[in-house]
Amino acid sequence: MELAVVILAAGKGTRMRSQLPKVAHPIAGRPMLSHVIDSARALDARRICVVYGHGGELVREQVPAPDAVWAEQAEQLGTGHAVAQAMPHVSEDVVLILYGDVPLIRPDTLRDFVGRVAPDRLALMTLEMDEPGAYGRIVRNAAGEVQAIVEFKDADDTQRAIREINTGILACPRAFLADALPKLSSNNAQGEYYLTDVIAMAVKAGLTVEAVQPQFAWEVDGVNDRVQLARLERIYQQVQAEQLMRAGVTVLDPARLDIRGTVQCGEDVVLDVNTVLEGDVSLAAGVRVGPNCLIRNSCIGAGTVVEANSIIDGADVGEACQIGPFARLRPGTEMAARGKVGNFVETKKTRIGPGSKVNHLTYLGDTELGSGVNVGAGTITCNYDGVNKARTEIGDNAFIGSNSSLVAPVTIGKDATVGAGSVITRDVEAGELAVARGKQRNISGWPRPQKKD
């Protein structure tokens, strides 16, 4: 049977106390709604329809989903009314209803859940809670069959004592839903069209309501304020950390790891505290990442060590390299095997050849280093003239003395040497020594400046 997923995302979220619509607030660096859409995609749904309302244009801007259709709920008249706005876009056999502020529902859970639906049967996701609070209650008959959902505000004391609650997630035949929605009434305590009323309608029509509970309670947790948002963030991160550890990664403190994207790790990777992994990250076997590091959209080769407080962004790093501490590799950086970038070194659009070393206090922009190059402390490639960028090329086994400025475009040949403190504005041929600095003068009797009163 073909599946359509309707995601309700029209709520304002006043308790978030934010100008940003609730479903656009992030979990793991991405809007909550994006996580729900990803789960829908994992089900191979033929149609994904997002019902939007408050801040709708901002939501659509923050959550690009070209494969989804968007239905506006101009007035928030309840969940039943919201689903009704989606129905003109839905023609599939089965409709699954999800929520944009319930971001951690797992595709495996939903796949089993949707599989329960038949022309004469719908699936309802419920949860047993010790303290069910203000959730709607699941009412069953003496045989244990689901008969209805009663919202808390409409429930009597006996019904409020029920511990099984409605999560809101529902899957049912489209034909039944299309027939039931126009029959909903707003004659209730909140004056809204409750989607939950379709359960009693289904029972009356002779359909079976199969209640299914998720494997983990946090899968159906919703977000209403920033406290709940932070709690789900930590749950998400804990799950990611556990997956890595089961795959052979050492995470020194799972509570201090943040994954905000897709991570692939080989065996025996070690992640120290406060590691942040963003975007698409690949860490080969034996990579060690020190504390307080950010790695974004980068690949790091086997055996490489990243020391503390380093940032690697858009870089491709080879095997057995050393990076940091306090290094910054910006987009377009490539390091070949056994390269070294030390403390307080910044690189951008730079290729560092095999075994080359840039040990400390250096900026390399738009630069290519051959193999075995040594770059002394305080070296700068002056790649920007205020308008245009230019490249610097440094040949194999060249030696760049400390505190040198290489004014691009310029080429330093193979085995060439640049004397410390030089400002190089012309090419240096292979094997040459370039010394470009002012002649030293020693002045006797020069009066040192005195502090003024």
Side-chain angles (χ1 to χ4, degrees):
M1 294 189 291
E2 292 182 337
L3 174 67
V5 179
V6 174
I7 303 172
L8 305 188
K12 183 177 181 179
T14 54
R15 282 179 279 176
M16 298 296 290
R17 301 183 67 83
S18 173
Q19 297 300 310
L20 188 67
K22 178 168 67 171
V23 296
H25 281 264
I27 293 284
R30 301 175 62 233
M32 285 190 281
L33 178 56
S34 294
H35 290 272
V36 184
I37 292 174
D38 283 350
S39 292
R41 290 181 180 132
L43 302 177
D44 296 325
R46 183 176 180 274
R47 176 81 64 189
I48 300 172
C49 181
V50 181
V51 180
Y52 70 96
H54 173 74
E57 292 308 312
L58 182 57
V59 171
R60 297 182 68 169
E61 178 183 318
Q62 295 284 326
V63 187
D67 55 339
V69 296
W70 296 76
E72 183 179 13
Q73 186 186 20
E75 295 181 272
Q76 275 70 65
L77 301 179
T79 50
H81 177 260
V83 175
Q85 310 314 301
M87 292 305 288
H89 304 282
V90 172
S91 60
E92 289 69 25
D93 305 303
V94 176
V95 179
L96 170 64
I97 297 164
L98 302 176
Y99 296 82
D101 59 357
V102 181
L104 302 189
I105 186 69
R106 298 183 311 129
D108 286 348
T109 297
L110 293 176
R111 199 171 286 112
D112 173 73
F113 182 70
V114 171
R116 310 295 183 97
V117 178
D120 62 347
R121 183 172 63 248
L122 56 83
L124 174 66
M125 195 165 293
T126 70
L127 188 68
E128 291 278 348
M129 298 184 69
D130 293 334
E131 298 181 8
Y135 288 102
R137 303 303 202 264
I138 306 299
V139 178
R140 296 176 180 262
N141 61 16
E145 299 166 330
V146 174
Q147 299 297 292
I149 299 173
V150 178
E151 296 295 345
F152 181 79
K153 291 183 178 179
D154 300 296
D156 57 32
D157 289 343
T158 300
Q159 292 167 334
R160 289 183 177 184
I162 296 171
R163 294 172 52 231
E164 186 181 13
I165 62 98
N166 171 44
T167 70
I169 296 175
L170 175 69
C172 56
R174 184 199 181 279
F176 162 73
L177 195 59
D179 180 67
L181 288 174
K183 299 176 183 178
L184 293 177
S185 168
S186 61
N187 184 23
N188 51 58
Q190 298 187 78
E192 295 181 348
Y193 296 93
Y194 294 156
L195 179 63
T196 50
D197 287 348
V198 305
I199 299 301
M201 293 181 182
V203 173
K204 186 175 181 180
L207 276 69
T208 300
V209 178
E210 183 170 352
V212 180
Q213 300 213 4
Q215 182 177 357
F216 304 104
W218 48 257
E219 294 186 65
V220 293
D221 275 358
V223 172
N224 290 305
D225 58 29
R226 294 177 193 262
V227 174
Q228 292 173 321
L229 181 70
R231 183 166 61 85
L232 289 193
E233 175 75 37
R234 294 327 311 162
I235 291 171
Y236 177 91
Q237 297 300 343
Q238 180 70 28
V239 171
Q240 302 305 304
E242 289 176 0
Q243 290 176 350
L244 288 180
M245 289 186 286
R246 291 191 179 98
V249 176
T250 296
V251 180
L252 294 185
D253 186 351
R256 289 186 285 174
L257 169 68
D258 273 56
I259 296 175
R260 302 168 187 166
T262 302
V263 178
Q264 294 181 337
C265 290
E267 293 181 350
D268 298 317
V269 168
V270 178
L271 303 177
D272 210 328
V273 299
N274 299 328
T275 296
V276 178
L277 306 176
E278 293 187 353
D280 294 324
V281 173
S282 175
L283 307 177
V287 168
R288 299 180 65 89
V289 179
N292 309 313
C293 290
L294 166 63
I295 303 175
R296 177 189 297 128
N297 294 321
S298 297
C299 295
I300 300 181
T304 288
V305 176
V306 182
E307 299 286 1
N309 302 294
S310 295
I311 298 174
I312 302 175
D313 183 4
D316 190 348
V317 179
E319 297 181 356
C321 290
Q322 297 181 56
I323 299 170
F326 292 97
R328 183 184 182 195
L329 276 56
R330 292 169 55 191
T333 295
E334 298 179 23
M335 290 183 66
R338 306 179 313 284
K340 182 177 181 181
V341 169
N343 50 293
F344 303 103
V345 172
E346 178 181 353
T347 64
K348 188 270 297 181
K349 289 185 178 178
T350 289
R351 185 181 187 279
I352 298 171
S356 290
K357 299 177 181 180
V358 189
N359 281 319
H360 32 222
L361 301 165
T362 292
Y363 170 71
L364 300 180
D366 299 284
T367 302
E368 175 138 5
L369 275 65
S371 63
V373 174
N374 187 92
V375 178
T379 297
I380 297 172
T381 55
C382 307
N383 60 323
Y384 184 49
D385 64 5
V387 179
N388 301 303
K389 299 290 181 69
R391 290 192 61 77
T392 298
E393 295 184 8
I394 303 175
D396 295 347
N397 301 311
F399 183 94
I400 311 300
S402 298
N403 202 34
S404 295
S405 296
L406 310 181
V407 182
V410 70
T411 297
I412 310 299
K414 179 180 179 182
D415 297 317
T417 301
V418 173
S422 294
V423 178
I424 302 299
T425 58
R426 293 184 291 116
D427 290 352
V428 180
E429 298 299 326
E432 289 187 337
L433 167 65
V435 181
R437 53 186 179 231
K439 184 177 181 180
Q440 181 174 325
R441 292 186 300 153
N442 296 344
I443 302 173
S444 299
W446 179 74
R448 177 178 292 180
Q450 301 297 314
K451 184 175 181 180
K452 296 180 180 179
D453 293 333

